[in-house]
Amino acid sequence: MPIIRNIAQLGQPVLRGETRGIDYPSDPSVQAIIEDMLVTVADADGVGIAAPQVFEPLRLFIVASRPNPRYPHAPASEPTPMLNPEILWRSDETEKGWEGCLSVPGIRGQVPRSLKIGVRYQTRDGCFCEEMLNGFLARIFQHEYDHINGLLFLDRVEDNRALITEREYRRIITQL
Ligand SMILES: [Zn+2]
């Protein structure tokens, strides 16, 4: 049975550490971590979660965009585990958008991200997949990709004035 994992919080070294690639996606221990991450991200109303956030220093994350109380305007998509992900190219065009993080509760920030990216990853079955992502899905991918490189969205905000509280964020988005 999958279990809801504890989520590493800002300050815990695993969020800043190195990660290793996954050689054998079909390994039962890898599949068990993926199952745990799927239930953990759903339970926490996240739209993505990276392995270091559940104390697993692996190059693995899940993109799970769907409308929920934390992201009411998120597009719906099937939760997708991405193993050994890479960014192949980025559009020159960037866009600022609000981000939060399950590891940084209570804070939102305006973060510039590439509008479009080309990515490659392995599925949980080990198949290689290449696709182009844009908009919010591209944003999630870049946020999670940062996690497996020891970076947080706080490192990407251009100015501390781009940070606001969760309560203020919710007040703003209900007016959108
Ligand atoms: Zn995060």
Side-chain angles (χ1 to χ4, degrees):
M1 279 290 286
I3 55 165
I4 294 169
R5 299 282 198 99
N6 283 329
I7 295 174
Q9 301 291 289
L10 178 66
Q12 294 193 279
V14 68
L15 295 174
R16 297 302 197 174
E18 298 206 336
T19 54
R20 56 181 192 277
I22 295 171
D23 294 332
Y24 303 104
S26 60
D27 190 296
S29 66
V30 172
Q31 294 295 320
I33 292 167
I34 291 170
E35 289 298 325
D36 287 355
M37 287 171 65
L38 285 166
V39 296
T40 303
V41 72
D43 175 71
D45 285 333
V47 291
I49 193 166
Q53 292 183 277
V54 295
F55 299 89
E56 303 284 354
L58 298 171
R59 300 192 74 75
L60 159 67
F61 55 70
I62 289 169
V63 173
S65 177
R66 64 198 161 83
N68 67 39
R70 292 182 67 248
Y71 294 92
H73 304 294
S77 72
E78 197 60 31
T80 308
M82 298 179 175
L83 291 69
N84 303 316
E86 293 172 69
I87 296 178
L88 304 175
W89 55 266
R90 302 167 178 272
S91 63
D92 292 335
E93 200 181 350
T94 60
E95 183 180 59
K96 282 188 191 173
W98 290 109
E99 293 185 23
C101 182
L102 298 175
S103 297
V104 188
I107 300 284
R108 297 281 179 143
Q110 282 253 297
V111 184
R113 300 283 188 190
S114 302
L115 203 55
K116 289 183 185 172
I117 52 173
V119 303
R120 177 168 50 210
Y121 58 89
Q122 279 176 276
T123 65
R124 63 184 298 178
D125 303 320
C127 297
F128 286 88
C129 185
E130 272 186 30
E131 58 190 26
M132 192 192 84
L133 300 176
N134 60 58
F136 195 62
L137 289 176
R139 176 171 298 280
I140 298 172
F141 190 105
Q142 290 169 84
H143 176 115
E144 304 307 333
Y145 187 76
D146 274 351
H147 271 302
I148 64 171
N149 293 310
L151 292 169
L152 299 169
F153 80 91
L154 299 173
D155 305 322
R156 300 282 188 194
V157 299
E158 291 173 328
D159 187 303
N160 286 338
R161 291 181 184 82
L163 296 171
I164 64 173
T165 65
E166 180 78 22
R167 193 173 80 173
E168 192 61 11
Y169 166 78
R170 291 195 187 214
R171 193 180 66 76
I172 291 168
I173 55 166
T174 55
Q175 294 165 356
L176 291 179

